[in-house]
Amino acid sequence: MRVDVVTIFPEYLAPLDLSLIGKARRDGILDVHVHDLRDATEDPHRTVDDGPFGGGAGMVMTPQPWAETLDRVVRGGASGNAAVPHLVVPSPGGVPFTQSMARRLAAEPWLAFACGRYEGVDERVYEHAAARMPVSIVSLGDYVLNGGEVAVLAMVEAISRLLPGVVGNAESLVEESHEGGLLEYPVYTRPARWDDAGTLREVPPVLLSGDHGAIAAWRHEQRLRRTAERRPDLLPLSATVGSLAELDVRLATPADAAELLVLQRACWAPEGLASGDWVVPPLAETLEEVRAAVGEWRTYAVRTASRGGGLGRLVASVRGRVRPRDPAVWETARLMVAPDLQGRGLGRELLALSEAAAPASVTTYWLTTGVVAAQNHRFYRRAGYRRAPGEPTYPGAVDLVKPRPG
Ligand code: JDH
């Protein structure tokens, strides 16, 4: 792959000589050319900026040196490669740079990067470029840098490691493509028992067990847990493989409270009929209490995919929280699935979603269910829950616990 970079700070790109990228260059996989924008200036001060029309702070890069340099880049690289490069312009207002964009760009024979400085580049430069080559305006992320150079270093690194022969272990890349939108699991190496200046830190025993099924399950659970904790925005999109995948899973807001209350009453009504004289808390709860609980618990609201703009129907929910004053216990409650969608594994997935949201301090999952709800007991038993010792929280309830795996 050929890469051209235009900048007023060619030395900023010096790291491209190092490490895997440097090796790819020496191996002929990557052919990098850095151009100094000021070489296309004609005045003695080699000026590349001027004040903004319309007023405002800072300076703007003038169009002439850019047009000149981009034309030189196109003329200079056109042998053996594509006729023109795909031009990538880093900008705080660009489309987000992602791994899938890196994969698409890695498939191109020739990329050019235009590093702006100051407040950016005169808009007509984009028009000049777009009349000659494909142009993508790309942002490294939602924060403000002083110019495009750091973004280009990051993008070239992300792209070039995908070129065949750059990352030595092809398996590493194969694994990445199967990541399925979740964060990575934690990794460990020797020693298995590390004396950290008096504190013994051990590798999770399952990793030493040789049980590959158990290791895979533990790693998946870790990935879910981390994703829920650090990137809850990623969870609804791809965390679930079963029936939840077709539904819209989000964190509930107080605006969902009325629908949650209706669903809750429908789901607990049979238990209310069977319960005799004791109180079934989900049936006794008021709208105000449900609204308050949404703020105090991590509550997931599951809806059918919306058709034509509005919200889909609320069909399932669960809530979880760290027990107040006991960071080792994660309480799950109000696990409910609309009657017409029961029996499809939705409840099991929601329970896993709640468990995955528990922070690292949690060692025990805890929940309570009605003593009369025989079906629930089988369900929770299969999910690994057992009766908690001692008196139940409410009369007519059974408390269940499950040790956190790993
Ligand atoms: C290219 C110049 C500096 C700083 C105006 C924009 C308020 C405009 N992820 C990324 N962050 N920053 C860049 C980037 C920054 C650049 C250039 C890329 C060229 N600069 C610059 C401030 C502004 N500012 C943000 N608004 C919220 C106004 C340019 C980048 C990438 N990729």
Side-chain angles (χ1 to χ4, degrees):
M1 169 185 277
R2 178 171 173 129
V3 171
D4 289 88
V5 183
V6 182
T7 170
I8 58 169
F9 294 123
E11 323 88 89
Y12 228 120
L13 284 303
L16 295 180
D17 292 330
L18 303 174
S19 188
L20 288 178
I21 299 181
K23 174 144 194 312
R25 292 176 76 177
R26 292 189 293 279
D27 292 348
I29 299 170
L30 200 60
D31 179 21
V32 180
H33 298 253
V34 180
H35 310 262
D36 188 342
L37 181 73
R38 292 194 200 274
D39 290 349
T41 56
E42 261 137 36
D43 66 307
H45 296 109
R46 315 226 301 159
T47 311
V48 292
D49 62 314
D50 206 335
F53 278 124
M59 302 294 272
V60 175
M61 297 189 103
T62 56
Q64 191 54 40
W66 274 109
E68 221 117 345
T69 308
L70 291 174
D71 291 352
R72 273 185 210 169
V73 165
V74 170
R75 282 197 304 271
S79 56
N81 295 289
V84 293
H86 184 144
L87 180 66
V88 177
V89 188
S91 161
V95 302
F97 182 71
T98 60
Q99 187 65 22
S100 75
M101 188 184 292
R103 269 193 296 271
R104 285 196 299 275
L105 292 173
E108 306 237 7
W110 186 8
L111 299 175
F113 292 89
C115 302
R117 280 270 148 181
Y118 313 107
E119 294 299 301
V121 182
D122 187 301
E123 190 65 21
R124 292 165 294 180
V125 173
Y126 301 98
E127 297 167 14
H128 176 95
R132 289 160 178 78
M133 60 197 110
V135 178
S136 298
I137 320 256
V138 177
S139 165
L140 192 60
D142 288 340
Y143 36 78
V144 181
L145 303 172
N146 284 335
E149 287 79 6
V150 164
V152 167
L153 287 174
M155 292 177 196
V156 170
E157 180 156 321
I159 293 164
S160 57
R161 66 191 292 285
L162 299 175
L163 299 176
V166 175
V167 169
N169 185 359
E171 233 172 68
S172 331
L173 294 179
V174 172
E175 254 183 41
E176 278 173 21
S177 65
H178 291 280
E179 274 172 9
L182 292 177
L183 302 185
E184 319 77 12
Y185 51 78
V187 293
Y188 299 84
T189 184
R190 276 170 284 283
R193 295 162 57 84
W194 173 42
D195 177 2
D196 179 10
T199 304
L200 179 62
R201 302 192 189 276
E202 292 184 85
V203 169
V206 65
L207 297 179
L208 311 175
S209 70
D211 180 343
H212 299 296
I215 291 169
W218 180 85
R219 285 177 167 167
H220 184 66
E221 143 93 15
Q222 292 294 315
R223 296 182 64 197
L224 274 171
R225 189 191 297 184
R226 287 197 156 179
T227 308
E229 206 158 285
R230 302 179 187 172
R231 294 294 304 277
D233 57 308
L234 296 179
L235 262 187
L237 299 175
S238 49
T240 52
V241 286
S243 43
L244 277 182
E246 298 107 57
L247 296 166
D248 178 35
V249 184
R250 286 167 199 261
L251 288 179
T253 73
D256 297 311
E259 283 171 286
L260 285 168
L261 183 63
V262 170
L263 183 63
Q264 176 168 318
R265 288 188 178 166
C267 289
W268 269 273
E271 199 174 310
L273 288 172
S275 69
D277 55 356
W278 54 72
V279 172
V280 178
L283 292 177
E285 215 164 32
T286 66
L287 179 59
E288 260 327 300
E289 286 167 332
V290 174
R291 200 175 278 141
V294 166
E296 289 157 16
W297 298 66
R298 186 176 185 86
T299 307
Y300 290 97
V302 182
R303 293 177 182 278
T304 53
S306 88
R307 278 180 300 268
L311 284 181
R313 175 170 67 109
L314 184 82
V315 291
S317 179
V318 69
R319 69 196 196 197
R321 67 168 180 191
V322 171
R323 171 173 290 170
R325 290 174 301 283
D326 190 352
V329 176
W330 180 258
E331 302 179 338
T332 294
R334 302 296 184 269
L335 177 56
M336 53 181 119
V337 176
D340 59 317
L341 291 179
Q342 289 175 10
R344 305 177 181 208
L346 250 167
R348 183 69 198 88
E349 285 186 71
L350 278 177
L351 183 56
L353 204 55
S354 172
E355 292 172 352
S361 61
V362 167
T363 56
T364 304
Y365 301 128
W366 181 96
L367 54 84
T368 186
T369 187
V371 75
V372 294
Q375 217 178 295
N376 290 359
H377 296 194
R378 277 193 302 279
F379 170 84
Y380 288 123
R381 196 174 170 75
R382 262 186 252 127
Y385 285 79
R386 299 291 180 268
R387 274 186 113 108
E391 283 296 299
T393 323
Y394 310 99
V398 194
D399 293 351
L400 300 173
V401 289
K402 168 184 172 180
R404 189 173 219 177

